[in-house]
Every structure is written in structure tokens, then in C-alpha cells.
Amino acid sequence: MTAEAEIIAGLRDAGLTGEGDVVLQPLTGGVSCDVWKVETPTGPIVVKRPLPQLRVAAEWLAPVERGTSEVRWLRRARGVDPRLAPEVLAELPTGHAFAMRFLPGCPVWKDELMAGRVDVAFAAQVGTGIAAVHAATAHNESDRADFPNDEMFRALRVDPFLLHVARHDAELAPVLTALADDLSGRKIALAHGDVSPKNILVSADGPVFLDAECAVYGDPAFDLAFCTTHLLLKAVWSGDARLNDAAAALVDAYRAGIDWEDADGLMLRAGKLTAALLLARVEGKSPAPYLTDPEHKNIVRDQARALIARPSPLGELVANWKRNLA
Ligand SMILES: Nc1ncnc2c1ncn2[C@@H]1O[C@H](COP(=O)(O)OP(=O)(O)OP(=O)(O)O)[C@@H](O)[C@H]1O
Ligand SMILES: [Mg+2]
């Protein structure tokens, strides 16, 4: 049986499809997974199956078990607030695939931002949503036990985003290596691991977070830094000041939700991580695909390098972030 036929059989066994023909219609995206939309008698669903190897040049290896982490994260986030993630309908027996409800009429946030539709209030909702999951899972032994994904987080996040740059930059290597060790060592709350605008749907009820394959019990500052990085890169790409405002709103709203540790300490960690992630997006293994203009790259690189050498808390970093050379 082909993998597709197995998926269809799994959907039937889970009672999700009727007796008629079932068509797996590929959805866009997908460097790490096959993602299909499937029409069913009770409405459209999405089926996602992790690939054993990512479809990117660097070919990071990643275990297919990350499908299981994603399902766990989606369920846990819905336990915090059902608006934050799609409902998981079934886990299928083939290759850690799962089915979730399709959210109709919800654009991907990245597409909105790239089209110049910048909603600062929505950015604040993103900050509030991430902080809610962190607050609910902070210092929680059962969540810690459910997401023991340190090895995967190291392979998919710490190594490509921090250590890869360290290996190619002798000057920054000591700082970046120390940052990587610090990040790997913190076990504070459940991090999503891939809070990027391309993994957030814009629904009438606020942000819906997808794609939690890199979820790990670790440092919540990582999620905040990861998402802020994307907004700051897009500010340079577009020159649009509203993206700086969106980043500031995200950070402020997140900060207001911190009730599990000293907010200043977290903001400083997030500032350091953001500086490193900004540099990784112009020099690392996973460059921002839209940042191709050499001048844009220089603007990001120069600020990021200065910030790695002299860190500032994330709020200050965002307030001082320059979109252009003027
Ligand atoms: N439940 C859903 N409802 C509506 N659309 C969805 C849903 N899940 C996924 N999608 C769409 O499919 C796309 C890919 O999903 P997802 O990000 O989970 O997969 P991925 O393979 O990890 O993608 P990528 O590697 O591009 O981030 C999303 O950007 C979104 O457009
Ligand atoms: Mg995605």
C-alpha cells in the first residue's frame, strides 16, 4: 500500500471519512511534512505527516516522532484556551500522521504582513497567546515529562540557529556557544519552538498556532525571540514602521503575561536570543527567503552583531531597531 493509501485507510478507520472517494489535496508549504486538505462529510480536515528528512538544502535529519510532539502541543494549548490551536481529530497509524480540523477563511499571518496588512492589535494577541501557554505550563512536572524533546530541539533549533553561526565566526563563537548552552539548560515552560508568522493563522478569534513540531520543555524566551525576529526582519524588508510597532506590541503584551519568573530576566534572555536569531537569519542555515537585497542583509547583520556583543533587553532592542540606514 502506498503511504497515501495508508493515510486514507487510517482516516476511514478513525471514522473521519464516509464510504465515497477520499482525495488528499496537497496544501502549500511543507519543507518538513506532507500536508493535505481532505473533504469529509463533516467538513474539511487537514492531515499532516512528518517527513523523515526536511526538504531543504541542508537536509537536517529529524525524527518523525516530532509529529507526536506536535499533537501533544496542539492538545495542551487547546487545554489552555481552545482558540489557540486547531482541534486534533485523530492520530493515524502511519508515520506519526494526524488529522486536525481545517480552519476555513483564516489567512496565514505571514501572507497578511507581506501584503502590507499589518494589524498591531493582532501582534499583541500573538504575544498574549504565547504567554498564556507559557504561564500555564511553567514549572509543571507533568508538562516537562510530556515534552522531553531536548535532542530534537538541539538538532532543529540550537544547532542550525546558534551553533552553525558560531562555527563560522570565531569572534562571536564564545558568546553564541554560551547562549546555546544557556538555552539548552533552561527547563522553565513549554515552548512551541516555531512561532513564526507563517505558522500562525489569523482567525476572527485571534491567532491560531500551527506547526508545533519543535515543541520542547525549555526556555519560553525562545518563542518570544523567534517571533520578534521575524517581525524585525520584515520591517527591514518592507521599511514599514508598523512592523516595528507590531514587534513592540507583541513584546509588551507578552511581558504583561509573565507571572512565572522575573520579567526583566526573561526580557534580557529574549534580547540575547533575538540578536543571535537575527544574525542566523542572514548568515545561518535557514536564511529568511525574502531578505535577498545585500543592503537589507547588512542592516540586519550590523545591528545583530553589535547586539550580540552588547546585549540589551528585548523591549529596548525593539525600540532601537533600525529598518534602514538613514
Ligand atoms: N488546521 C488548519 N487549517 C487551515 N489551514 C491549515 C491548517 N493546518 C495547516 N494549514 C495550512 O497548511 C500550511 C502548512 O502547515 P504547517 O505549517 O503545519 O506544515 P509544515 O509542513 O510544517 O509547513 P512549513 O514547513 O512550511 O512551516 C499552513 O501554513 C496553513 O496554510
Ligand atoms: Mg509551517
Side-chain angles (χ1 to χ4, degrees):
M1 219 187 323
T2 65
E4 276 80 0
E6 278 179 27
I7 298 267
I8 291 170
L11 291 173
R12 275 199 213 288
D13 290 347
L16 289 170
T17 58
E19 289 307 311
D21 277 354
V22 177
V23 179
L24 299 181
Q25 179 192 328
L27 280 176
T28 50
V31 288
S32 67
C33 290
D34 283 323
V35 185
W36 298 280
K37 185 179 177 187
V38 181
E39 298 296 339
T40 79
T42 54
I45 63 172
V46 174
V47 177
K48 190 168 171 184
R49 183 189 56 188
L51 296 168
Q53 204 168 48
L54 308 198
R55 285 185 191 126
V56 285
E59 301 213 331
W60 308 336
L61 288 167
V64 287
E65 283 76 11
R66 55 191 204 282
T68 309
S69 313
E70 173 156 8
V71 166
R72 282 198 182 146
W73 188 92
L74 294 172
R75 290 192 167 135
R76 185 66 182 95
R78 280 179 67 85
V80 176
D81 180 341
R83 294 169 300 184
L84 291 176
E87 182 190 355
V88 175
L89 300 168
E91 289 179 86
L92 306 177
T94 312
H96 298 271
F98 69 96
M100 63 184 141
R101 207 171 287 292
F102 179 86
L103 287 125
C106 298
V108 173
W109 192 28
K110 177 180 179 179
D111 297 341
E112 293 296 288
L113 296 173
M114 299 304 263
R117 292 186 288 273
V118 182
D119 181 345
V120 172
F122 183 82
Q125 288 183 302
V126 170
T128 303
I130 316 169
V133 177
H134 294 166
T137 58
H139 310 303
N140 182 319
E141 284 310 315
S142 130
D143 288 317
R144 182 173 175 159
D146 280 345
F147 294 90
N149 303 333
D150 296 32
E151 205 183 314
M152 184 171 64
F153 190 75
R154 210 171 171 76
L156 293 178
R157 291 291 173 261
V158 180
D159 189 77
F161 288 98
L162 302 178
L163 297 176
H164 177 84
V165 181
R167 285 193 288 270
H168 293 85
D169 193 319
E171 192 188 328
L172 297 180
V175 183
L176 291 173
T177 309
L179 192 59
D181 288 345
D182 184 80
L183 175 61
S184 304
R186 286 191 195 267
K187 300 282 158 237
I188 300 172
L190 174 57
H192 172 285
D194 202 1
V195 184
S196 152
K198 86 178 160 82
N199 291 328
I200 298 174
L201 297 179
V202 181
S203 90
D205 287 335
V208 180
F209 296 90
L210 306 170
D211 211 358
E213 290 171 60
C214 289
V216 68
Y217 204 79
D219 189 351
F222 183 82
D223 282 346
L224 177 63
F226 203 79
C227 195
T228 306
T229 297
H230 282 283
L231 297 179
L232 297 179
L233 293 172
K234 287 176 180 61
V236 171
W237 172 77
S238 70
D240 187 340
R242 292 172 306 162
L243 281 156
N244 290 59
D245 297 342
L250 171 90
V251 173
D252 284 351
Y254 182 91
R255 191 189 166 105
I258 303 173
D259 66 358
W260 61 89
E261 65 171 291
D262 171 49
D264 289 339
L266 189 149
M267 285 295 152
L268 184 56
R269 296 204 306 280
K272 291 178 182 178
L273 287 168
T274 301
L277 292 172
L278 284 163
L279 187 62
R281 289 298 186 177
V282 287
E283 290 191 349
K285 261 186 179 176
S286 182
Y290 49 85
L291 222 59
T292 49
D293 183 332
E295 191 175 310
H296 290 161
K297 286 188 181 183
N298 283 337
I299 293 166
V300 173
R301 187 184 294 109
D302 290 353
Q303 294 185 86
R305 292 184 70 89
L307 285 160
I308 292 168
R310 282 180 307 284
S312 68
L314 187 59
E316 265 173 51
L317 185 162
V318 169
N320 294 324
W321 183 249
K322 292 187 180 52
R323 296 182 301 284
N324 46 48
L325 295 170

mmCIF file of all heavy atoms in Angstrom, residues 194 198-199 211, ligand 2:
data_model
loop_
_atom_site.group_PDB
_atom_site.id
_atom_site.type_symbol
_atom_site.label_atom_id
_atom_site.label_comp_id
_atom_site.label_asym_id
_atom_site.label_seq_id
_atom_site.Cartn_x
_atom_site.Cartn_y
_atom_site.Cartn_z
ATOM 1 N N ASP A 194 8.482 27.108 17.131
ATOM 2 C CA ASP A 194 8.443 27.605 15.742
ATOM 3 C C ASP A 194 7.367 28.685 15.590
ATOM 4 O O ASP A 194 6.552 28.640 14.671
ATOM 5 C CB ASP A 194 8.180 26.439 14.780
ATOM 6 C CG ASP A 194 8.645 26.718 13.353
ATOM 7 O OD1 ASP A 194 9.189 27.813 13.101
ATOM 8 O OD2 ASP A 194 8.460 25.840 12.493
ATOM 9 N N LYS A 198 4.499 32.489 9.627
ATOM 10 C CA LYS A 198 3.994 31.524 8.646
ATOM 11 C C LYS A 198 3.287 30.348 9.313
ATOM 12 O O LYS A 198 2.644 29.549 8.637
ATOM 13 C CB LYS A 198 5.103 31.082 7.692
ATOM 14 C CG LYS A 198 5.977 29.953 8.125
ATOM 15 C CD LYS A 198 6.963 29.645 7.002
ATOM 16 C CE LYS A 198 8.158 28.879 7.489
ATOM 17 N NZ LYS A 198 7.973 27.447 7.630
ATOM 18 N N ASN A 199 3.412 30.252 10.622
ATOM 19 C CA ASN A 199 2.741 29.179 11.353
ATOM 20 C C ASN A 199 1.602 29.695 12.219
ATOM 21 O O ASN A 199 1.183 29.030 13.173
ATOM 22 C CB ASN A 199 3.750 28.431 12.224
ATOM 23 C CG ASN A 199 4.721 27.635 11.384
ATOM 24 O OD1 ASN A 199 4.359 27.143 10.313
ATOM 25 N ND2 ASN A 199 5.957 27.531 11.842
ATOM 26 N N ASP A 211 1.864 23.953 13.624
ATOM 27 C CA ASP A 211 3.235 23.555 13.334
ATOM 28 C C ASP A 211 4.150 23.516 14.560
ATOM 29 O O ASP A 211 5.224 24.129 14.573
ATOM 30 C CB ASP A 211 3.802 24.536 12.290
ATOM 31 C CG ASP A 211 4.818 23.864 11.392
ATOM 32 O OD1 ASP A 211 5.100 22.681 11.608
ATOM 33 O OD2 ASP A 211 5.327 24.537 10.487
HETATM 34 MG MG MG B 2 4.630 25.681 8.940
#
